[in-house]
Amino acid sequence: MKAYVPQHIRTQDTRRKRLRFSFFLILGMFLLSGVIYGVFFNPKLLVANITISGFDQSLATQFQDAMRTKKILKGFVPSNNLLFIDKGDFISVGDQYPEIKNVVMQKDYRNARLDFSVTTRKPEGLWCGEREGCYVFDTDGVIYIKQEMNVASSSFSLVIEDSNRFPTLLSPVQNENISTKKIRDGIITPELISVFKGLLNIFKENGVSIKTIIRRTEADNIVLLETNDEHIFLIDGGRSAEDSMRDFLLAKNKIDFQKITYVDLRIPGRVYYK
C-alpha cells in the first residue's frame, strides 16, 4: 500500500534536498579551493632562503637559478614551492663541481628555507695515467681534479701510476689496452689504498722512501715500487707487506744495496736482484 503525500510536501522535500546538495557542493568547492591555495599558492610554502654548509655560498645563487628554471604544470605552480622541490632538481649544479662528493637537502617548512649540507672529497693521493696526465684521487679512489703543473708529485704521500713503464726484464708481458680515464672515474678501491699505504709505511720505517707505485692495470697484483733514489722493488700485492719486508731485510745484509738496480720480492723466502 502506498501512502499519499500532498504535492506541497513533496515540493518542500525536493527543495530541501536541492538546498542541502547545493550547500555541500559549495562547501566542497570552498574546501577544494582552500586546499589548492594551500598547496599551490600559499606564500608560506615558497622558498624564502637557502643555506649552504660545507661549501662555497655561491652555490645558493645557482640553486636559486635551478629552481627558477624548474617547470611545474606548465608554469601554473610556483617553481620555488617547497612541496614540489626535490634533490634531483639540483643535480646539474652539483655536477659542475667534481670536488663535491654528496649533497643532503632538508626542507625547513617553518622558516620556508632549504638547507643544503655539502660533503667534499678528501684528497688521498695522485694518480697518473699513460695518456691522461695526473689527477688527484680521494679516499674512495675516485679521481676528481687534474693536477696543476706547479704542484709537485712529492706533495702527495701516495702516487700511483698506471702505465707500461715496466722494464721488459721485469715484465715480459706488456698490456696494450690501458683504458682511458676521466674525472669521477674510480681508479683504486679504498681497500687497496689501505694496503698501499701500509706498504709505504713499512718501507719508510725501514729507511726506504717510495716515490711512485707503478701498475700495468688496476687489477694487476704485481706492482713496482720506485724509490726516491731510483731503486725499484718488484712486489706481489697478494703478499703481506710485512712478509715482503722481512725477506728484504734478511737479504739486505748480504748484498750491496747501493749497487743494484732492482729487487724482486714476489716469491716467499727468495730475493732476486740485479
Side-chain angles (χ1 to χ4, degrees):
M1 180 182 294
K2 295 183 179 180
Y4 172 74
V5 179
Q7 179 65 35
H8 70 281
I9 294 178
R10 291 202 303 270
T11 302
Q12 290 177 357
D13 287 342
T14 301
R15 186 180 297 115
R16 289 195 199 97
K17 290 179 181 178
R18 288 177 178 174
L19 287 173
R20 191 182 303 115
F21 174 78
S22 299
F23 171 77
F24 284 110
L25 178 62
I26 293 172
L27 178 62
M29 293 178 64
F30 177 78
L31 292 175
L32 180 61
S33 299
V35 170
I36 291 175
Y37 172 80
V39 171
F40 297 107
F41 302 105
N42 189 345
K44 292 184 178 180
L45 288 177
L46 303 183
V47 177
N49 192 22
I50 292 178
T51 65
I52 308 290
S53 62
F55 202 70
D56 194 294
Q57 294 302 307
S58 64
L59 271 185
T61 302
Q62 292 178 270
F63 285 157
Q64 287 278 13
D65 293 340
M67 282 193 302
R68 195 173 295 116
T69 58
K70 179 181 174 69
K71 303 297 182 183
I72 304 177
L73 299 180
K74 296 183 179 180
F76 179 71
V77 181
S79 60
N80 61 338
N81 188 311
L82 277 168
L83 292 176
F84 297 93
I85 290 174
D86 58 57
K87 179 182 173 182
D89 298 326
F90 309 102
I91 289 178
S92 60
V93 177
D95 286 345
Q96 299 175 35
Y97 301 90
E99 64 269 36
I100 291 179
K101 180 178 180 180
N102 188 39
V103 177
V104 176
M105 184 188 75
Q106 291 185 327
K107 300 178 182 181
D108 183 347
Y109 289 96
R110 177 177 297 180
N111 298 301
R113 189 179 70 209
L114 285 177
D115 297 323
F116 291 91
S117 177
V118 179
T119 303
T120 55
R121 301 182 186 277
K122 296 180 179 179
E124 183 66 83
L126 187 69
W127 174 85
C128 298
E130 193 163 76
R131 304 183 183 94
E132 302 88 340
C134 296
Y135 290 81
V136 179
F137 66 87
D138 68 0
T139 51
D140 292 324
V142 175
I143 56 177
Y144 65 101
I145 294 179
K146 190 171 180 62
Q147 183 199 16
E148 298 296 334
M149 295 300 294
N150 59 349
V151 178
S153 60
S154 57
S155 303
F156 301 90
S157 59
L158 182 56
V159 180
I160 300 173
E161 177 184 326
D162 285 348
S163 72
N164 280 329
R165 195 163 63 91
F166 265 53
T168 303
L169 178 64
L170 304 181
S171 178
V173 179
Q174 298 294 309
N175 175 29
E176 300 297 338
N177 299 311
I178 295 177
S179 59
T180 301
K181 297 294 181 181
K182 59 182 182 298
I183 282 181
R184 289 194 183 91
D185 278 347
I187 51 88
I188 186 172
T189 64
E191 293 76 19
L192 197 51
I193 289 176
S194 179
V195 170
F196 282 173
K197 290 175 70 175
L199 189 64
L200 299 191
N201 286 336
I202 287 177
F203 271 79
K204 186 176 181 179
E205 290 169 0
N206 289 276
V208 180
S209 180
I210 303 300
K211 178 174 65 175
T212 309
I213 297 177
I214 306 173
R215 311 181 297 181
R216 288 166 298 189
T217 67
E218 296 169 39
D220 199 347
N221 270 340
I222 307 302
V223 296
L224 293 181
L225 305 182
E226 187 177 35
T227 70
N228 286 324
D229 54 4
E230 307 304 326
H231 287 92
I232 291 177
F233 290 89
L234 188 59
I235 299 292
D236 184 346
R239 294 189 67 198
S240 71
E242 291 83 358
D243 289 344
S244 296
M245 179 52 66
R246 184 179 63 249
D247 287 348
F248 171 66
L249 292 177
L250 290 174
K252 187 176 181 181
N253 296 328
K254 301 178 182 179
I255 61 178
D256 187 350
F257 184 62
Q258 299 302 320
K259 294 182 179 180
I260 63 178
T261 305
Y262 76 92
V263 180
D264 187 339
L265 299 173
R266 290 177 295 175
I267 302 176
R270 293 180 179 273
V271 177
Y272 296 92
Y273 60 91
K274 181 180 185 298

